[in-house]
Amino acid sequence: MDNLAVTSATAYHRAAMTSARTVIVDYDAGNLRSVQRACAEVGTAADITSDPARVRRADRVIFPGVGAAGSAMRSLRARGLDRALLDVMHDGTPVLGICLGLQISLERSEENDQQTLGLIPGDVRRFALTDRALKVPHMGWNAVRIVRAHPLLAHVEPGDEFYFVHAYYPVPSDEGSVRAVADYEGQFCCALGVGNYFATQFHPEKSGRVGLRLIENFVRWDGNDA
Amino acid sequence: MLSKRLIACLDVRDGNLAKSVRFVDTKDIGDPVAKAREYYRDGLDELVFYDITASSEKRRIILDVVEAVAEQVFIPLSVGGGVRSVADATDLRLAGAEKINVNTAAVERPALIAECAEAIGSQNVVLSMDIRKVGVSPDFPSGYEIVVRGGRTPTGVDALAWTREGERLGAGELVVNSIDADGTRDGYELHLTRAISEAVRIPVIASGGAGVPDHLYDVLTEGKADAALVASMVHYGDYTVSGLKRHLDARGVKMRMSW
C-alpha cells in the first residue's frame, strides 16, 4: 500500500510538473522566441500565445515586449489581452514582465502620452540626460543593485550586470515596490515586485548566466513575494 | 554606468568560420557555433555574425547557424551580410538575431534603414560601414570614403556625411570598420572612430585592426568607441575573451566582469 501511495504521488507530482503551463504573451511586440529559448534552457517549455483564454488558464505568465507603448496598448486591447492580464494579476498567477511589458503594466507612459494597463501604480518617463556623452537609448550592460530582496533576485551578486535596451524607465508610485536599481546619470528602478507580479527593465533572456538564473527563479516561483 | 562592450565578429562563409586579411584571401578556421558557445562562456558581451557566403543558394545556411547559436548563447546576437530588405531582416530575427546589420544595400538604397527601423525598431538596426582613407578634398570633407561590396567598390560618399544620414534615417548603432586597418593587427583607426563618435549620439562599435589588448584600450578611450569588435585576436587562440576583458578592467575601462 505504501509503495503504491508513493508511486502515485510521484506520478501525480510528475504530471503536475509537465502540465504546468507557462505562457509568453504575444501581442506583436517584438521577437518572443529569445524568451522561449531562455525558458527551454532552464527546463521549461513555454508556449507563445495571443489567446486571452490560454493566458487566463496559465500557471505562469511572461509578459515581454519591445516597441512603443501606443501600438502595444492598441494591440493588447484588440486581442482582449489587457483584461486577461488584469485577471491573472488579480487571481495570484505569477507574472514576469520584461522591458515594455513592465512599462505598460504601470498607469501612464510619456511615450505617446499613453494610458497603460495600470496593474501597478506609477508612470513611465523618458531619460532626460544632461551629459551629451550619454546616449539614449540606454543600451548595453549595466550593474543591477538590489534595494529590497525578492525571490526572483536570489543569487544576484553585487556587481552582476544585465543587458538593457530602452529609452524610457519606470517610476512606480510605491517606493516599496522597487526591488533593484541601475545607474544612468542617476538611479532608476530596473526591477519591481508587488505580490505575484515581478518585472524587469533589463532583458534576463539576453543577460547570460545571471539572466537565466532569474528566469529559472521565476519558473520555480510560487508567486509569494516575501 | 554602462560598461564598454567586447564584441566578437564571426565571418561565416557557407556555414564555416572565415577570417580575411584586408578583406580578401579568406580562409576557413572552424565551426562558428562552437566558437560562439566558447566565447559566450568566457564572458563575451555581444556576438556578430557576418555572412560572407559567395553564392545566393547557400544563404539559408546562415539562418541555420543563427538558430543553432541562439539556442545556446544568451547574449545579444547581431547578424549582417547581404541584408537587402525588411524580409531579410525579419528572417534573421525569427532565426534568433537581435540586431540586424545593413551595409551595401543601405548605401545603394538608404530608405532600407528607415524601413528596417520601422519594422524591427531603431535600436535593432545597425549601420555597418566599411571606410577607407582618401584624404581631405571637396568631395570628401572628412577625408574618408564609404566603400561597399566587402570593401572592393568605392562609392564617392563621404564617411561622416553618411554617418549623419544613417543616424537621421533611424540607425540605432554604427559599426566603423576601417578597410585600411582590417586584418593588419596594427590597431584600430583611432582618428576615424573618434570623429564619428563625436558626430553622432548613437553607440559606435570600432572594427578592424586589433592586434594587441592595448589597441582595444586605445579605441575605447581615445577613440571614444562604446564597443570594440575583435576577430583574429581571439579566433586563433592568441588571446581569450576573458583575458582581454581583464586587461581592460585592470587599465580602468569599465567592463562587465562577472558572468
Side-chain angles (χ1 to χ4, degrees):
Chain A
M1 279 298 281
D2 281 356
N3 278 345
L4 192 67
V6 167
T7 306
S8 58
T10 307
Y12 173 79
H13 183 65
R14 193 177 298 127
M17 287 295 282
T18 52
S19 68
R21 287 156 302 199
T22 299
V23 302
I24 300 169
V25 181
D26 178 8
Y27 57 109
D28 284 342
N31 191 355
L32 308 179
R33 284 182 62 191
S34 56
V35 177
Q36 190 180 37
R37 288 190 188 95
C39 288
E41 182 70 10
V42 301
T44 294
D47 295 327
I48 294 173
T49 184
S50 57
D51 176 1
R54 290 186 65 194
V55 172
R56 286 191 178 89
R57 281 201 305 272
D59 300 305
R60 264 169 237 291
V61 174
I62 301 179
F63 181 34
V66 294
S71 58
M73 282 307 299
R74 281 193 295 281
S75 182
L76 283 174
R77 288 190 189 115
R79 292 169 165 81
L81 287 165
D82 53 337
R83 277 167 298 155
L85 283 163
L86 279 164
D87 290 347
V88 296
M89 182 73 188
H90 290 130
D91 73 14
T93 306
V95 178
L96 173 62
I98 299 173
C99 196
L100 184 66
L102 183 171
Q103 295 186 358
I104 60 180
S105 298
L106 296 165
E107 294 164 303
R108 174 160 285 279
S109 175
E110 276 185 8
E111 187 176 27
N112 317 120
D113 191 25
Q114 180 69 42
Q115 188 176 336
T116 46
L117 288 172
L119 306 179
I120 306 289
D123 61 358
V124 170
R125 297 177 198 160
R126 188 177 168 86
F127 280 116
L129 306 175
T130 53
D131 183 352
R132 292 245 341 145
L134 293 181
K135 293 158 182 181
V136 177
H138 169 238
M139 176 164 70
W141 297 83
N142 204 337
V144 165
R145 187 169 67 83
I146 298 173
V147 293
R148 192 162 161 242
H150 190 281
L152 266 62
L153 295 172
H155 307 289
V156 174
E157 304 292 337
D160 280 352
E161 299 188 16
F162 289 81
Y163 187 75
F164 290 82
V165 188
H166 61 123
Y168 294 79
Y169 63 97
V171 185
S173 309
D174 174 13
E175 268 198 35
S177 68
V178 178
R179 301 300 181 138
V181 295
D183 181 53
Y184 201 52
E185 199 183 88
Q187 295 193 334
F188 66 93
C189 167
C190 68
L192 67 86
V194 182
N196 54 309
Y197 178 90
F198 183 87
T200 63
Q201 182 56 66
F202 50 81
H203 289 270
E205 78 280 12
K206 287 285 159 189
S207 295
R209 188 186 48 81
V210 290
L212 291 174
R213 188 58 192 255
L214 191 152
I215 290 170
E216 190 174 8
N217 289 342
F218 175 70
V219 301
R220 292 177 176 178
W221 185 41
D222 61 4
N224 191 334
D225 69 353
Chain B
M1 290 320 289
L2 285 173
S3 292
K4 299 284 187 179
R5 284 172 282 156
L6 179 65
I7 301 176
C9 180
L10 302 171
D11 285 344
V12 179
R13 183 178 57 195
D14 303 341
N16 292 313
L17 189 56
K19 178 59 199 161
S20 66
V21 177
R22 290 187 200 263
F23 265 51
V24 289
D25 183 30
T26 62
K27 53 181 178 180
D28 295 342
I29 56 172
D31 171 14
V33 181
K35 278 286 183 196
R37 193 171 52 228
E38 174 193 328
Y39 298 160
Y40 163 64
R41 289 182 178 163
D42 200 28
L44 190 71
D45 298 315
E46 192 165 326
L47 195 58
V48 182
F49 286 104
Y50 231 81
D51 184 13
I52 57 168
T53 296
S55 59
S56 54
E57 60 266 29
K58 289 184 176 169
R59 292 214 83 99
R60 277 212 64 83
I61 297 174
I62 189 70
L63 296 175
D64 296 336
V65 170
V66 170
E67 193 135 349
V69 170
E71 277 172 15
Q72 25 192 324
V73 170
F74 297 92
I75 55 175
L77 304 181
S78 187
V79 184
V83 175
R84 308 198 64 82
S85 64
V86 167
D88 292 340
T90 306
D91 286 348
L92 288 165
R93 292 259 301 161
L94 282 173
E98 218 66 39
K99 303 179 186 181
I100 303 300
N101 290 244
V102 292
N103 190 333
T104 301
V107 177
E108 291 170 350
R109 197 174 66 82
L112 176 64
I113 299 171
E115 290 164 14
C116 286
E118 170 71 22
I120 65 172
S122 237
Q123 73 280 4
N124 293 319
V125 180
V126 183
L127 176 59
S128 185
M129 304 180 294
D130 296 325
I131 301 174
R132 69 168 183 179
K133 194 171 190 171
V134 289
V136 176
S137 69
D139 284 344
F140 300 105
S142 70
Y144 293 93
E145 180 184 19
I146 298 290
V147 293
V148 294
R149 301 191 182 285
R152 293 187 294 271
T153 310
T155 63
V157 176
D158 179 74
L160 216 49
W162 178 232
T163 294
R164 293 200 182 94
E165 177 70 355
E167 182 182 33
R168 190 187 66 78
L169 287 166
E173 196 162 40
L174 300 170
V175 174
V176 175
N177 186 49
S178 165
I179 293 299
D180 308 305
D182 184 62
T184 63
R185 300 190 172 215
D186 291 336
Y188 297 94
E189 233 278 28
L190 297 182
H191 176 78
L192 170 68
T193 309
R194 183 179 181 122
I196 289 178
S197 280
E198 288 176 344
V200 295
R201 295 208 66 193
I202 52 179
V204 168
I205 299 167
S207 165
V212 297
D214 275 341
H215 290 154
L216 281 73
Y217 174 82
D218 293 340
V219 85
L220 293 171
T221 53
E222 194 185 332
K224 294 196 169 184
D226 298 279
L229 188 144
V230 293
S232 19
M233 277 183 87
V234 291
H235 294 340
Y236 298 113
D238 299 338
Y239 297 95
T240 62
V241 166
S242 56
L244 289 173
K245 292 182 77 166
R246 273 196 301 274
H247 177 87
L248 292 164
D249 177 60
R251 291 208 62 186
V253 179
K254 189 173 181 308
M255 303 297 293
R256 175 176 69 112
M257 294 309 297
S258 64
W259 53 82

mmCIF file of all heavy atoms in Angstrom, chain B residues 34-49:
data_model
loop_
_atom_site.group_PDB
_atom_site.id
_atom_site.type_symbol
_atom_site.label_atom_id
_atom_site.label_comp_id
_atom_site.label_asym_id
_atom_site.label_seq_id
_atom_site.Cartn_x
_atom_site.Cartn_y
_atom_site.Cartn_z
ATOM 1 N N ALA B 34 30.420 26.382 -32.382
ATOM 2 C CA ALA B 34 31.300 26.025 -31.261
ATOM 3 C C ALA B 34 32.060 27.252 -30.754
ATOM 4 O O ALA B 34 32.201 27.457 -29.542
ATOM 5 C CB ALA B 34 32.285 24.941 -31.704
ATOM 6 N N LYS B 35 32.536 28.075 -31.696
ATOM 7 C CA LYS B 35 33.255 29.298 -31.296
ATOM 8 C C LYS B 35 32.339 30.229 -30.506
ATOM 9 O O LYS B 35 32.737 30.803 -29.494
ATOM 10 C CB LYS B 35 33.769 30.036 -32.545
ATOM 11 C CG LYS B 35 35.065 29.495 -33.092
ATOM 12 C CD LYS B 35 36.236 29.905 -32.207
ATOM 13 C CE LYS B 35 37.539 29.414 -32.819
ATOM 14 N NZ LYS B 35 38.657 29.433 -31.862
ATOM 15 N N ALA B 36 31.114 30.383 -30.987
ATOM 16 C CA ALA B 36 30.151 31.276 -30.323
ATOM 17 C C ALA B 36 29.923 30.840 -28.883
ATOM 18 O O ALA B 36 29.930 31.652 -27.954
ATOM 19 C CB ALA B 36 28.838 31.296 -31.101
ATOM 20 N N ARG B 37 29.740 29.530 -28.695
ATOM 21 C CA ARG B 37 29.492 28.998 -27.356
ATOM 22 C C ARG B 37 30.710 29.207 -26.448
ATOM 23 O O ARG B 37 30.588 29.595 -25.292
ATOM 24 C CB ARG B 37 29.148 27.508 -27.469
ATOM 25 C CG ARG B 37 28.582 26.907 -26.218
ATOM 26 C CD ARG B 37 28.078 25.506 -26.488
ATOM 27 N NE ARG B 37 29.095 24.692 -27.126
ATOM 28 C CZ ARG B 37 28.900 23.934 -28.202
ATOM 29 N NH1 ARG B 37 27.711 23.867 -28.755
ATOM 30 N NH2 ARG B 37 29.876 23.231 -28.717
ATOM 31 N N GLU B 38 31.873 28.965 -27.014
ATOM 32 C CA GLU B 38 33.121 29.139 -26.248
ATOM 33 C C GLU B 38 33.266 30.601 -25.773
ATOM 34 O O GLU B 38 33.550 30.865 -24.601
ATOM 35 C CB GLU B 38 34.300 28.752 -27.148
ATOM 36 C CG GLU B 38 35.674 29.004 -26.566
ATOM 37 C CD GLU B 38 36.763 28.904 -27.643
ATOM 38 O OE1 GLU B 38 36.604 28.108 -28.599
ATOM 39 O OE2 GLU B 38 37.766 29.648 -27.530
ATOM 40 N N TYR B 39 33.047 31.551 -26.664
ATOM 41 C CA TYR B 39 33.196 32.968 -26.294
ATOM 42 C C TYR B 39 32.140 33.403 -25.291
ATOM 43 O O TYR B 39 32.411 34.182 -24.380
ATOM 44 C CB TYR B 39 33.109 33.857 -27.545
ATOM 45 C CG TYR B 39 34.195 33.623 -28.575
ATOM 46 C CD1 TYR B 39 34.011 34.028 -29.895
ATOM 47 C CD2 TYR B 39 35.405 33.027 -28.239
ATOM 48 C CE1 TYR B 39 34.998 33.832 -30.855
ATOM 49 C CE2 TYR B 39 36.384 32.826 -29.194
ATOM 50 C CZ TYR B 39 36.175 33.222 -30.496
ATOM 51 O OH TYR B 39 37.145 33.022 -31.441
ATOM 52 N N TYR B 40 30.922 32.914 -25.484
ATOM 53 C CA TYR B 40 29.821 33.243 -24.555
ATOM 54 C C TYR B 40 30.189 32.796 -23.145
ATOM 55 O O TYR B 40 30.066 33.555 -22.182
ATOM 56 C CB TYR B 40 28.537 32.555 -25.036
ATOM 57 C CG TYR B 40 27.435 32.456 -24.018
ATOM 58 C CD1 TYR B 40 26.822 33.603 -23.511
ATOM 59 C CD2 TYR B 40 26.976 31.215 -23.570
ATOM 60 C CE1 TYR B 40 25.794 33.510 -22.587
ATOM 61 C CE2 TYR B 40 25.947 31.114 -22.651
ATOM 62 C CZ TYR B 40 25.362 32.262 -22.158
ATOM 63 O OH TYR B 40 24.352 32.158 -21.242
ATOM 64 N N ARG B 41 30.676 31.577 -23.035
ATOM 65 C CA ARG B 41 31.024 31.045 -21.701
ATOM 66 C C ARG B 41 32.216 31.776 -21.103
ATOM 67 O O ARG B 41 32.420 31.765 -19.897
ATOM 68 C CB ARG B 41 31.328 29.549 -21.803
ATOM 69 C CG ARG B 41 30.065 28.759 -22.065
ATOM 70 C CD ARG B 41 30.357 27.290 -22.127
ATOM 71 N NE ARG B 41 29.116 26.542 -22.321
ATOM 72 C CZ ARG B 41 29.071 25.292 -22.734
ATOM 73 N NH1 ARG B 41 30.197 24.636 -22.981
ATOM 74 N NH2 ARG B 41 27.921 24.677 -22.895
ATOM 75 N N ASP B 42 32.999 32.410 -21.962
ATOM 76 C CA ASP B 42 34.189 33.113 -21.488
ATOM 77 C C ASP B 42 33.908 34.607 -21.243
ATOM 78 O O ASP B 42 34.833 35.376 -21.055
ATOM 79 C CB ASP B 42 35.315 32.929 -22.513
ATOM 80 C CG ASP B 42 36.693 33.189 -21.912
ATOM 81 O OD1 ASP B 42 36.859 32.982 -20.688
ATOM 82 O OD2 ASP B 42 37.594 33.622 -22.661
ATOM 83 N N GLY B 43 32.619 35.006 -21.294
ATOM 84 C CA GLY B 43 32.262 36.368 -20.886
ATOM 85 C C GLY B 43 32.059 37.369 -21.999
ATOM 86 O O GLY B 43 32.023 38.585 -21.739
ATOM 87 N N LEU B 44 31.921 36.897 -23.229
ATOM 88 C CA LEU B 44 31.679 37.830 -24.333
ATOM 89 C C LEU B 44 30.389 38.620 -24.087
ATOM 90 O O LEU B 44 29.419 38.086 -23.565
ATOM 91 C CB LEU B 44 31.564 37.055 -25.652
ATOM 92 C CG LEU B 44 31.541 37.922 -26.911
ATOM 93 C CD1 LEU B 44 32.917 38.531 -27.157
ATOM 94 C CD2 LEU B 44 31.103 37.107 -28.124
ATOM 95 N N ASP B 45 30.377 39.906 -24.502
ATOM 96 C CA ASP B 45 29.220 40.761 -24.260
ATOM 97 C C ASP B 45 28.216 40.755 -25.408
ATOM 98 O O ASP B 45 27.036 41.050 -25.211
ATOM 99 C CB ASP B 45 29.683 42.203 -24.025
ATOM 100 C CG ASP B 45 30.570 42.307 -22.810
ATOM 101 O OD1 ASP B 45 30.220 41.720 -21.773
ATOM 102 O OD2 ASP B 45 31.639 42.947 -22.900
ATOM 103 N N GLU B 46 28.673 40.474 -26.596
ATOM 104 C CA GLU B 46 27.796 40.516 -27.769
ATOM 105 C C GLU B 46 28.508 39.791 -28.911
ATOM 106 O O GLU B 46 29.739 39.762 -28.967
ATOM 107 C CB GLU B 46 27.528 41.980 -28.137
ATOM 108 C CG GLU B 46 26.434 42.195 -29.139
ATOM 109 C CD GLU B 46 25.978 43.668 -29.192
ATOM 110 O OE1 GLU B 46 25.984 44.342 -28.131
ATOM 111 O OE2 GLU B 46 25.632 44.128 -30.278
ATOM 112 N N LEU B 47 27.686 39.240 -29.806
ATOM 113 C CA LEU B 47 28.242 38.436 -30.883
ATOM 114 C C LEU B 47 27.714 38.945 -32.217
ATOM 115 O O LEU B 47 26.531 39.247 -32.343
ATOM 116 C CB LEU B 47 27.793 36.987 -30.655
ATOM 117 C CG LEU B 47 28.452 35.854 -31.387
ATOM 118 C CD1 LEU B 47 29.947 35.822 -31.127
ATOM 119 C CD2 LEU B 47 27.822 34.551 -30.905
ATOM 120 N N VAL B 48 28.601 39.055 -33.200
ATOM 121 C CA VAL B 48 28.177 39.463 -34.545
ATOM 122 C C VAL B 48 28.528 38.368 -35.534
ATOM 123 O O VAL B 48 29.668 37.886 -35.551
ATOM 124 C CB VAL B 48 28.885 40.754 -35.007
ATOM 125 C CG1 VAL B 48 28.370 41.171 -36.383
ATOM 126 C CG2 VAL B 48 28.671 41.878 -34.023
ATOM 127 N N PHE B 49 27.556 37.988 -36.353
ATOM 128 C CA PHE B 49 27.819 37.099 -37.478
ATOM 129 C C PHE B 49 27.766 37.901 -38.749
ATOM 130 O O PHE B 49 26.812 38.642 -38.972
ATOM 131 C CB PHE B 49 26.757 35.999 -37.569
ATOM 132 C CG PHE B 49 26.914 34.953 -36.530
ATOM 133 C CD1 PHE B 49 26.079 34.911 -35.443
ATOM 134 C CD2 PHE B 49 27.932 34.016 -36.635
ATOM 135 C CE1 PHE B 49 26.238 33.952 -34.468
ATOM 136 C CE2 PHE B 49 28.098 33.046 -35.667
ATOM 137 C CZ PHE B 49 27.249 33.019 -34.585
#
